[in-house]
């Protein structure tokens, strides 16, 4: 991660440039969208398009405000990427444009230098915090861009709860509140609106919960049959990934989900506390990931058979 441009220099480019395309990462979240649209809303007099390879989730439409985010075959003078650590994360759709990225702004530790100008700061909990600094230097933040930035920052810090939240994060959020944003509405949309499908996923998760090793390991599972019976869509399943790990005394939480398109293939998500390296367990299953969060894929006849395979891998790694 090497920067070859400063925040002040980026501010200068923002002030000078026009006819701009901003690329977000695929499967867009509130940080990548909020960062992109904050730039667009801060320069209403300029021609700025935002493109996402995938469609924007309905609940985040308060950020895009009806603007088209599909790729338009236009010629642009400048291309900016936000919240993308690597080129391929922008997805297939924008490939042609992604290769021409002139300015990259990002906050991931794994950020690579694929643009002409590269700026990344891993100390920032969200890309929105960096965009805040750039726009603030130009005195450009208005009500619309303040809402987009607040959504970006609140979302990537888990509502100011994650360890990536710093005192300066709160100072920026406070400054955005001073602009008169409806932060109650934003927080409700981001953190409190659970879909019926997510509640059904929660119900099935709780019903299927099993403990192993005296309560140190917790497992929940979803077969395709359970998903169909309870009208659970795949998006909703992501909301229970951390649930078993959040139970008191649990050091390893495991969520098993049968893949909708592939009967007999199970996706395994693991989350662990200090004492367990779940990437080691997932590696035994042919997967991998981080020490505290990893995943793998298992083939088995049914959910119970998949559970047996996974628990066997656990038993080889966890201290009895
Ligand atoms: Mn981000």
């Amino acid at each position: 991660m090497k920067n070859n441009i400063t925040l002040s220099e980026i501010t200068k480019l923002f002030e000078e440039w026009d006819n701009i395309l901003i690329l977000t990462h695929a499967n867009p979240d509130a940080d990548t969208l909020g960062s992109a649209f904050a730039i667009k809303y801060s320069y209403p007099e300029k021609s700025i398009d935002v493109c996402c390879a995938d469609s924007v989730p309905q609940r985040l439409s308060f950020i895009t405000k009806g603007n088209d985010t599909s790729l338009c075959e236009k010629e642009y003078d400048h291309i900016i990427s936000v919240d993308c650590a690597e080129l391929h994360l922008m997805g297939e759709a924008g490939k042609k444009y992604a290769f021409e990225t002139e300015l990259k702004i990002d906050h991931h530790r794994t950020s690579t230098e694929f643009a002409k100008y590269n700026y990344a700061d891993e100390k920032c909990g969200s890309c929105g915090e960096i965009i805040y600094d750039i726009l603030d230097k130009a005195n450009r933040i208005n009500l619309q861009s303040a809402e987009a930035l607040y959504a970006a920052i609140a979302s990537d810090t888990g509502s100011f709860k994650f360890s990536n939240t710093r005192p300066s994060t709160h100072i920026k959020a406070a400054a955005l509140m001073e602009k008169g944003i409806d932060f109650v509405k934003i927080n409700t949309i981001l953190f409190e609106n659970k879909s019926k499908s997510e509640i059904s996923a929660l119900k099935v998760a709780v019903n299927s919960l099993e403990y192993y090793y005296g309560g140190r390991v917790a497992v929940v599972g979803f077969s395709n049959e359970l998903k169909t019976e309870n009208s659970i869509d795949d998006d909703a399943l992501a909301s229970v990934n951390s649930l078993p790990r959040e139970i008191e005394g649990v050091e390893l939480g495991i969520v098993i989900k049968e893949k909708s398109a592939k009967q007999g293939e199970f996706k395994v998500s693991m989350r662990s506390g200090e004492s367990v390296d779940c990437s080691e367990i997932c590696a035994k299953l042919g997967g991998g990931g981080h020490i505290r969060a990893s995943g793998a894929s298992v083939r088995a006849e049914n959910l119970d058979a998949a559970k047996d395979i996974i628990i066997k891998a656990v038993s080889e790694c966890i201290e009895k």
Side-chain angles (χ1 to χ4, degrees):
M1 188 166 64
K2 273 198 206 87
N3 295 339
N4 60 355
I5 190 165
T6 65
L7 288 177
S8 309
E9 284 165 345
I10 298 176
T11 302
K12 227 185 256 168
L13 294 182
F14 277 16
E15 291 287 306
E16 284 166 15
W17 285 359
D18 203 343
N19 192 26
I20 301 164
L21 173 67
I22 306 177
L23 297 169
T24 71
H25 60 71
N27 298 317
D29 60 12
D31 187 29
T32 198
L33 288 172
S35 295
F37 278 91
I39 302 170
K40 178 178 169 61
Y41 296 148
S42 291
Y43 293 93
E45 78 281 10
K46 297 192 187 216
S47 164
I48 302 178
D49 286 342
V50 176
C51 162
C52 311
D54 299 310
S55 59
V56 172
Q58 175 53 33
R59 66 186 192 97
L60 298 180
S61 60
F62 76 97
I63 300 173
T64 55
K65 296 189 191 295
N67 284 287
D68 185 11
T69 53
S70 58
L71 195 71
C72 28
E73 297 287 314
K74 266 169 63 181
E75 287 296 321
Y76 296 94
D77 291 333
H78 304 283
I79 297 173
I80 302 172
S81 74
V82 286
D83 202 30
C84 300
E86 291 172 65
L87 262 182
H88 72 91
L89 297 175
M90 288 179 237
E92 280 299 309
K95 231 176 187 169
K96 167 175 173 266
Y97 291 101
F99 280 116
E100 294 165 21
T101 306
E102 191 173 0
L103 169 63
K104 178 207 77 178
I105 305 169
D106 183 37
H107 73 118
H108 294 97
R109 186 159 30 136
T110 51
S111 223
T112 54
E113 294 84 47
F114 56 77
K116 180 179 172 199
Y117 301 115
N118 298 283
Y119 186 91
D121 184 355
E122 62 166 300
K123 293 192 301 302
C124 285
S126 58
C127 189
E129 280 187 54
I130 304 171
I131 304 295
Y132 173 95
D133 285 329
I134 298 164
L135 296 173
D136 186 50
K137 280 183 200 299
N139 215 356
R140 280 281 186 169
I141 300 174
N142 54 32
L143 180 61
Q144 275 200 327
S145 52
E147 284 207 337
L149 287 174
Y150 185 90
I153 296 171
S155 158
D156 258 28
T157 57
S159 190
F160 308 94
K161 277 191 321 223
F162 297 160
S163 58
N164 59 11
T165 309
R166 299 175 297 168
S168 59
T169 315
H170 285 285
I171 290 168
K172 286 171 194 174
L176 294 170
M177 284 171 77
E178 300 270 15
K179 300 278 180 193
I181 59 170
D182 190 345
F183 59 92
V184 175
K185 178 194 80 181
I186 298 171
N187 284 316
T188 303
I189 293 171
L190 290 180
F191 304 108
E192 284 174 18
N193 277 357
K194 285 215 191 313
S195 66
K196 298 251 171 23
S197 185
E198 283 175 334
I199 296 301
S200 296
L202 196 63
K203 194 174 83 181
V204 171
V206 172
N207 281 337
S208 72
L209 179 67
E210 281 177 329
Y211 294 110
Y212 295 84
Y213 297 100
R216 284 158 62 207
V217 178
V219 183
V220 304
F222 299 84
S223 61
N224 279 339
E225 207 181 331
L226 279 170
K227 289 195 305 196
T228 313
E229 256 171 39
N230 294 278
S231 318
I232 301 168
D233 57 50
D234 285 334
D235 283 349
L237 286 176
S239 65
V240 299
N241 271 347
S242 56
L243 179 81
R245 163 66 199 100
E246 286 167 4
I247 304 166
E248 185 182 29
V250 171
E251 292 162 27
L252 174 66
I254 304 173
V255 179
I256 311 166
K257 308 158 204 171
E258 190 167 11
K259 292 184 183 169
S260 297
K262 287 183 189 158
Q263 191 81 24
E265 200 159 322
F266 296 83
K267 214 179 146 202
V268 192
S269 305
M270 295 196 188
R271 299 280 186 276
S272 63
E274 303 269 291
S275 61
V276 179
D277 176 355
C278 59
S279 66
E280 191 193 336
I281 305 168
C282 284
K284 281 201 185 294
L285 296 166
H290 305 282
I291 298 173
R292 305 276 164 255
S294 5
S297 222
V298 167
R299 285 202 61 82
E301 205 174 307
N302 53 42
L303 182 59
D304 283 332
K307 215 177 280 176
D308 290 343
I309 296 170
I310 294 159
I311 291 302
K312 189 172 174 291
V314 171
S315 71
E316 288 164 16
C317 298
I318 201 164
E319 278 179 44
K320 306 235 163 60

